[in-house]
Amino acid sequence: MEKLISNWSNIKSVPENYIFPLESRPGDLKIPTSNSIPIIDLNEAQKDDSDRANTIHQIIKAAQEFGFFQVINHGILENEMKETMSVFKEVFQMSDEYKQKLYLDDDLKTCKRFTSSLRYETENVHLWRDSLRHPAHPLEDWQHLWPENPTEYRECVGNFSVKIKELGSRIMDLISEGLGLKCGYFDNDLTGSLIISINHYPPCPEPSLTLGLSKHKDPYLITILMQDGVSGLQVLKDGKWITVEPLPHAFVINIGHLLEIISKGKLKSAEHRAVTNSSQTRTSAAFFIAPSDDCLIEPAQDLTHYENNQPILRSFKYKEFLKNFFDTLGDTDLILKSFEPPKN
Ligand code: OGA
Ligand code: NI
């Protein structure tokens, strides 16, 4: 069978290898959209010192309580967001042949389109999504490897990703100040790369049986997510799933697993997933602020103590962590096990 879901036609039921075990199925699909996830106005941070301090306080509080928040007045124009989202959507409307060719190789660093996860061959259940993933920083190293079609892809996504990288740096500066770390703490190899991952979730005939993305923590510092107006993202908070409302002109920001480790658990990386729906296609674009491959990750020594239950891990290279994330299919417990310090 054709693997790419967006190339399937007229699918009436979910194939067996897409049906999740009972305990990880979405269950109740009518989870109310939560307005409890904080919405933070980034323009405030540019006013005076007290407004900046207040914004930082809101970010740290949201990162501790939810691991998620949304930002508005972030400086990226609504038109640019719409245009980029429509270019992303177009990729999945290209001909079946074109989409087949977009697959290059298995290297984690190159441009690739795939379906389900990067471990399609070994996973037990497939995910209801097609994806396109590629690095975007430094732009000149990668832009020529991106899709040639739609024709505006490289220019539009290139300009947009430069702005996203800047937004990411602004947010990381506010976070480092909020943590009490020295100015520019993250402004180095720790945020040396930007990865774009476009998720495309076609309508699913039986959304209660399958998932677009299963429960995971993002294995990066922070994620800047652009949603298209169709809801589907859910966050685990105190053992309950809550839906993140798609707000026009906002970005969803979430704390990645690496930032939880670096901040000694002061900031929380929340587990989240994507559910599907039977009537609408949903597209989201995740921009991951990530370290350079060989960057060494360890808890910030300037922070005095570990928060409750925060596991102590050995230091490791980012690329080792990322490989582990894909190999364990994002299983947080297994990932942590691999990075336990050696026992004496
Ligand atoms: C991700 C992710 C959520 C979504 O790409 O890591 O969690 O709404 N995406 O697509
Ligand atoms: Ni994620």
Side-chain angles (χ1 to χ4, degrees), residues 199 201 213 216 218 225 233 272 282 284 286 288:
N199 301 297
Y201 310 100
L213 258 181
H216 67 283
D218 295 343
L225 183 86
L233 172 61
H272 55 282
R282 173 168 186 264
S284 70
F288 301 122

Side-chain angles (χ1 to χ4, degrees), residues 186 188-193 221 258 262 290-298 315-321:
F186 295 103
N188 45 44
D189 264 14
L190 279 171
T191 55
S193 111
L221 275 93
L258 293 181
I262 294 167
S292 312
D293 274 1
D294 289 318
C295 182
L296 198 67
I297 308 294
E298 53 192 3
S315 29
F316 52 84
K317 276 192 181 169
Y318 160 66
K319 70 177 170 201
E320 199 190 339
F321 191 83

Side-chain angles (χ1 to χ4, degrees), residues 14-31 125-127 204 206-215 234 236 239-241 273-276:
V14 173
E16 204 162 331
N17 48 357
Y18 284 78
I19 300 182
F20 272 70
L22 257 180
E23 66 280 7
S24 44
R25 284 186 203 167
D28 184 4
L29 285 168
K30 294 200 189 62
I31 295 175
V125 196
H126 300 312
L127 303 170
C204 170
E206 296 164 291
S208 63
L209 300 182
T210 190
L211 283 167
L213 258 181
S214 47
K215 182 174 84 168
Q234 298 180 340
L236 199 57
K240 288 211 177 79
W241 290 104
R273 66 182 186 183
V275 298
T276 62

Side-chain angles (χ1 to χ4, degrees), residues 30-44:
K30 294 200 189 62
I31 295 175
T33 298
S34 161
N35 49 19
S36 54
I37 294 197
I39 298 164
I40 298 176
D41 183 340
L42 278 192
N43 196 31
E44 292 291 304

Side-chain angles (χ1 to χ4, degrees), residues 68 129 131 133 197-201 212-214 216-220 223 225-228 230-234 244 252 254 271-275 282-288 325:
F68 269 78
R129 74 151 178 182
S131 179
R133 178 189 171 95
S197 171
I198 309 148
N199 301 297
H200 176 83
Y201 310 100
L213 258 181
S214 47
H216 67 283
K217 294 183 181 192
D218 295 343
Y220 313 98
T223 302
L225 183 86
M226 177 160 71
Q227 306 199 73
D228 70 349
V230 179
S231 80
L233 172 61
Q234 298 180 340
V244 184
V252 178
N254 65 289
E271 288 180 305
H272 55 282
R273 66 182 186 183
V275 298
R282 173 168 186 264
T283 307
S284 70
F287 298 84
F288 301 122
F325 174 84

Side-chain angles (χ1 to χ4, degrees), residues 6-223:
S6 55
N7 288 357
W8 294 356
S9 56
N10 242 333
I11 184 96
K12 294 275 187 329
S13 63
V14 173
E16 204 162 331
N17 48 357
Y18 284 78
I19 300 182
F20 272 70
L22 257 180
E23 66 280 7
S24 44
R25 284 186 203 167
D28 184 4
L29 285 168
K30 294 200 189 62
I31 295 175
T33 298
S34 161
N35 49 19
S36 54
I37 294 197
I39 298 164
I40 298 176
D41 183 340
L42 278 192
N43 196 31
E44 292 291 304
Q46 284 167 336
K47 293 184 178 167
D48 58 27
D49 284 355
S50 95
D51 290 324
R52 183 177 165 90
N54 183 30
T55 310
I56 291 173
H57 175 75
Q58 288 178 44
I59 291 179
I60 298 296
K61 188 159 179 277
Q64 288 173 330
E65 284 178 17
F66 293 89
F68 269 78
F69 52 94
Q70 305 217 43
V71 292
I72 54 169
N73 293 327
H74 40 64
I76 299 184
L77 297 177
E78 194 158 358
N79 268 351
E80 292 172 295
M81 294 175 73
K82 278 199 183 136
E83 193 191 334
T84 310
M85 181 50 92
S86 85
V87 171
F88 285 150
K89 282 176 179 282
E90 261 182 75
V91 174
F92 297 92
Q93 289 155 7
M94 306 297 291
S95 70
D96 296 4
E97 295 73 32
Y98 176 73
K99 280 188 279 182
Q100 291 296 1
K101 275 201 314 230
L102 274 181
Y103 186 89
L104 283 181
D105 62 32
D106 203 14
D107 179 357
L108 290 177
K109 273 299 222 175
T110 47
C111 173
K112 52 171 112 322
R113 77 95 190 123
F114 56 94
T115 188
S116 191
S117 81
L118 284 170
R119 295 289 180 270
Y120 186 91
E121 304 305 332
T122 51
E123 65 196 5
N124 290 327
V125 196
H126 300 312
L127 303 170
W128 199 270
R129 74 151 178 182
D130 293 335
S131 179
L132 175 71
R133 178 189 171 95
H134 59 67
H137 180 84
L139 193 57
E140 58 279 14
D141 288 358
W142 305 109
Q143 198 175 23
H144 63 284
L145 298 171
W146 295 356
E148 279 175 280
N149 288 299
T151 45
E152 60 278 40
Y153 189 94
R154 289 183 184 172
E155 192 182 341
C156 171
V157 177
N159 294 339
F160 196 72
S161 56
V162 170
K163 292 181 182 162
I164 290 281
K165 184 80 174 70
E166 282 166 11
L167 173 62
S169 302
R170 270 166 55 208
I171 296 172
M172 290 313 298
D173 279 347
L174 296 169
I175 289 178
S176 67
E177 201 172 324
L179 287 173
L181 294 170
K182 64 176 189 298
C183 178
Y185 186 87
F186 295 103
D187 198 7
N188 45 44
D189 264 14
L190 279 171
T191 55
S193 111
L194 173 70
I195 299 159
I196 303 183
S197 171
I198 309 148
N199 301 297
H200 176 83
Y201 310 100
C204 170
E206 296 164 291
S208 63
L209 300 182
T210 190
L211 283 167
L213 258 181
S214 47
K215 182 174 84 168
H216 67 283
K217 294 183 181 192
D218 295 343
Y220 313 98
L221 275 93
I222 57 167
T223 302

